Amino acid sequence: MKEKFNSRYAKLGLTIFVAGAALILLFEAVINIGILSESFSRLMSIISPFIYGLVMAYLLCPVYNLVVRKLYKVGKNRFKSKKNAFRFSRIVATVVSLIVLIGAVGGLFALVLPETIASVVNLVQVVPGRLTDLAIWAEDSLVSTKHPEIADYLDSVIINARKTLINWTENNFMPKIGEYMSQISQGIFITVKTMFNVVIGIIVCVYFLNSKEIFKGQTRKCIMALVSRERANEIFEFGNFCNRTFGGFINGKLIDSVIIGIICFVAMTIIDLPYPVLVSSIIGVTNFIPFFGPFIGAVPSTIIICVESPIKALYFIILVIVLQTFDGNILGPKILGGTTGLASFWVMFAIILCGGIFGFVGMILGVPVFAVLYYYSSKFISKKLKRRNLPEDTVNYEEFNKYDIDRKEII
């Protein structure tokens, strides 16, 4: 029976059957894409506390491991058994990790929230006056330049805008006030649910941190049981490479963003720019996005500062350009080093592609994901070239004949 199954025709039939089943499943998935998308969204909503916990545990893992190593090294000779020393080290490391997490999040909110409220209140107070000044300036300038017809046109535009606003308030806003209140209530419910998921995520984070060796051992055991030793070693190598790439990139960008945020705050304080805490927080958070991050954060920040003072907004733009130059050429390469191994073009491509598909999360994780794909694609191509006794270095395939330049001279 085993010989018949291992025969050439049996394997061919099994391959055709699997391919046909895969095509049928793909066809059904395309037809029911809406149902699958809704089911996937519901599943993600259910397991979101575990996702939050896993992300928090992954970010806190370096802190946790550092505390465990240091305390165990000191306490293994002071406890009756090494097991008790290790247990005590893990308890203290868990507490320290939670303090770091709560301190970082709470400190950020404590700094940003009052500044945000003050900024919004100030904007509400300043904007009407700025618009009035702009209207007066435009009217005086146009009249003084002998263009009264344009001034009359602006007056009519302002009057029509006011009438439109009043009509919209009476006909659209007031009748739908109940619907708006329902949406606000729904938003409050979602906020409370998110906070509840975060609390559950913190509990899950503690379990992940203290059970990561068990989870890793169970995963290794399953892989060793299901595939050959050679294939298992390849899977382990792939996992270690992904961990180095993602861990190095995320931790490096986190440190880089904190430093950029601090530098931005100090520079804004020195040159007396408004809202230094709020703007520096925006720049620091968006700096987590490679390449485009500082410019994405600079757009709303410039608008906020421009309401206060247009000339100071110009100073801020110059500051952002200086920060981006410093980060891109000095600080970023110094911290990240060769973590991703991607050229600038592929970094930009990964951000645009993954950001367009997965949003903000895709813009952050797109670079390490693409780095992993790029590394293994290059490894696969090099393996094929090596089998054919062809050179693996890309330089050997570059041509400069169209420029009448010898390739060897360039190399």
Side-chain angles (χ1 to χ4, degrees), residues 60-101:
L60 293 173
C61 194
V63 177
Y64 178 87
N65 291 340
L66 177 63
V67 175
V68 169
R69 286 196 301 267
K70 295 295 183 181
L71 285 180
Y72 179 73
K73 184 178 180 180
V74 174
K76 64 181 179 180
N77 297 324
R78 298 185 180 183
F79 285 83
K80 294 182 179 180
S81 64
K82 293 183 178 180
K83 183 178 181 181
N84 292 335
F86 184 62
R87 184 179 301 171
F88 175 77
S89 302
R90 295 177 71 169
I91 293 173
V92 176
T94 302
V95 174
V96 171
S97 300
L98 292 179
I99 291 175
V100 170
L101 174 63

Side-chain angles (χ1 to χ4, degrees), residues 22-23 26 47 57 131 210 222 253 308 311 326 328 391:
L23 288 175
L26 179 62
I47 66 173
L131 293 177
N210 290 278
C222 293
K253 286 302 295 182
E308 180 76 20
I311 188 64
F326 169 72

Side-chain angles (χ1 to χ4, degrees), residues 273 279 283 298 301-302 305 312-320:
L273 295 181
V279 172
I283 294 297
S301 301
T302 303
I305 297 175
K312 290 185 177 181
L314 179 61
Y315 294 157
F316 174 74
I317 293 174
I318 297 174
L319 174 62
V320 169

